[in-house]
Amino acid sequence: MTQATNVTPLFNDLAKIERDHTVACQECSLYRLCLPLGLHNNDLVRLDTIIKRSQNYKRGHILFTDEQPFKSLFVVRSGSFKTTISASDGREQVTSFYFPGEFIGLDAIHQSEYQSNAKALESSSVCELPYDMLQEIGEEMPQLQIQMLTRLSKELAGDRNLMLLLGKKTADEKLATFLLSLSKRFQERGFSATDFQLSMSRSDIANHLGLAVETISRLFSRFQEEGLISIAGKALSVQNIEKLKQLCG
Amino acid sequence: MTQATNVTPLFNDLAKIERDHTVACQECSLYRLCLPLGLHNNDLVRLDTIIKRSQNYKRGHILFTDEQPFKSLFVVRSGSFKTTISASDGREQVTSFYFPGEFIGLDAIHQSEYQSNAKALESSSVCELPYDMLQEIGEEMPQLQIQMLTRLSKELAGDRNLMLLLGKKTADEKLATFLLSLSKRFQERGFSATDFQLSMSRSDIANHLGLAVETISRLFSRFQEEGLISIAGKALSVQNIEKLKQLCG
DNA sequence: CGCGCGTTTGACATGACTCAAATGCTGTGG
DNA sequence: CCACAGCATTTGAGTCATGTCAAACGCGCG
């Protein structure tokens, strides 16, 4: 019943493909998911020049906190991240999880500080886009502006679905919705829609969905009993995706 | 104990000032809160030409639904609106309330349909910005692009605070936070920070905060007993703003 | 290999919901 | 302008989903 190995980080495969830190956007396997989509070749080359590609960060690495000045946007190249915001009394809310090709820091644009805290959930790397430069080259690249607006807009729409989830859904529906959202994102990235590793902890999931850790744990157990999923540690396998969809509410 | 009159719509004063539908951005009293902020005069004039100013809509008027094609962004000129999104089973979440100078529809940019439903809460009017034209003139107006990005980004940050509220706060904290957010927005618009009319129903508030109507009603009563506020129908008066702030969590 | 944290499971507590009913307000039509 | 219908709000009583507390377990990191 024990899982063979849960060691493999989530996006190791991608990490391998991308292990050369200097790979240009044109050759990056994330191309179709990433910012450069739709840019003309000249523009792409120009964008390329302002991107700083990070080395591999290890689990727990802090990309930025809400006390640091806003300087750059980040795109996940490999691995995954979570962002949190905190209330004055220290309570935290996990606002989002980020996978390869997704933007981190969009909520800080034109603020002096970042508005959230971003932390690596596993071994991860990013492309850093200094915002002043992005803005500069953006003035001559309408396509880039459009991409930025589109990204922001989609993130906004996503957040609003999360508000529906947080405000109106039951614990069962929350978890089902969350798992399907992961499934979809893995699929978009060329991975299995049914078998994947959860890079985040149970308590991250619980927090993100507005539930207690114990509730998540119990739900995983029950979903397993009911044949919806099979889960061992961080390894998840979706057994009945249709039933899961019905559960979403 | 009955209120003299609750008839006065929330932004009647503004509505009067702005009753001329053709008032240009330059002369609009919302200027400093609105999109044109920071535009140069030539640009402003150009922006002006693409804006369609609506007549007065009455309470309940539907600006758009999530089944209509995305065509325009809207800025509230007078009155107020709410937006909702709905789950497949019909449950709805009130995602946001909008006051003069605020943008509606940002979550639909570059989608084929609107992503939410927008409805007037009282007698209201808007400026309509056809998005294709906005994009067109935007290509030559970096300041406009910056404004758009800033707006989107701030809305995103706001939504994330709402996620914190929905996921982590108690009923008391939710209502206190909501009332203070209203207070702040009224103040920014030149109205009293302590005395104003709630244009939305108790159930809109409840829904928005992820609570039941009954809970909101009870909280209003209790807050009143405790001397935090005084409320009669839609007329709210904040009595102890400091204590309210402490309650926010 | 062992410690510590993350996870699971159980028992119990409770904040907020649901249901129900009374009251009040608003908009409409006569 | 008033009266009535219907919806919004308030208040009370009882329930329930989910949280909290506690303890055992076991995986994974060092």
Side-chain angles (χ1 to χ4, degrees), chain A residues 26-181:
Chain A
Q26 290 99 323
E27 285 116 39
C28 178
S29 64
L30 289 170
Y31 175 78
R32 88 206 131 69
L33 290 167
C34 196
L35 184 66
L37 188 64
L39 293 195
H40 294 297
N41 221 308
N42 285 346
D43 291 349
L44 231 180
V45 170
R46 180 123 183 248
L47 177 63
D48 233 31
T49 63
I50 72 163
I51 295 177
K52 294 195 230 166
R53 292 171 179 82
S54 83
Q55 52 187 204
N56 251 59
Y57 296 131
K58 55 185 182 180
R59 192 165 111 81
H61 176 85
I62 291 173
L63 207 52
F64 57 77
T65 74
D66 58 13
E67 289 170 343
Q68 294 172 2
F70 170 66
K71 245 190 76 223
S72 298
L73 297 173
F74 298 90
V75 180
V76 181
R77 199 164 71 234
S78 65
S80 51
F81 291 79
K82 70 170 174 183
T83 50
T84 59
I85 61 172
S86 27
S88 45
D89 62 0
R91 274 177 295 182
E92 292 215 321
Q93 171 75 30
V94 174
T95 45
S96 217
F97 296 112
Y98 294 89
F99 295 111
E102 296 178 335
F103 265 76
I104 312 182
L106 290 175
D107 52 353
I109 290 178
H110 291 287
Q111 306 287 134
S112 50
E113 279 95 28
Y114 286 104
Q115 303 294 301
S116 51
N117 314 284
K119 191 187 256 193
L121 294 171
E122 59 187 308
S123 182
S124 304
S125 61
V126 298
C127 290
E128 178 177 352
L129 307 167
Y131 189 69
D132 50 358
M133 295 190 191
L134 197 59
Q135 192 173 304
E136 206 174 288
I137 69 170
E139 291 192 10
E140 295 157 26
M141 292 165 56
Q143 284 302 314
L144 185 61
Q145 298 282 6
I146 290 174
Q147 270 290 320
M148 293 293 297
L149 285 173
T150 306
R151 291 268 163 178
L152 265 160
S153 177
K154 284 196 175 146
E155 191 134 342
L156 202 53
D159 279 13
R160 271 144 199 210
N161 277 306
L162 215 37
M163 286 172 56
L164 173 65
L165 176 146
L166 287 168
K168 294 279 161 321
K169 294 194 181 183
T170 65
D172 290 42
E173 292 167 340
K174 285 177 175 180
L175 185 57
T177 307
F178 175 69
L179 293 178
L180 284 174
S181 140

Side-chain angles (χ1 to χ4, degrees), chain B residues 76-87:
Chain B
V76 181
R77 198 165 70 234
S78 65
S80 51
F81 290 80
K82 70 170 174 183
T83 50
T84 59
I85 62 172
S86 28

Side-chain angles (χ1 to χ4, degrees), chain B residues 7 12-13 19 38 62 104 107 124 130 167 178 182 208 238 243:
Chain B
V7 183
N12 238 9
D13 306 358
R19 81 150 64 87
I62 291 172
I104 312 182
D107 53 352
S124 305
F178 175 69
L182 283 188
H208 182 54
V238 178
K243 223 164 153 191

Side-chain angles (χ1 to χ4, degrees), chain A residues 6 170-171 210-212 214-215 218:
Chain A
N6 296 333
T170 65
L211 297 170
E214 294 93 328
T215 304
R218 279 185 253 271

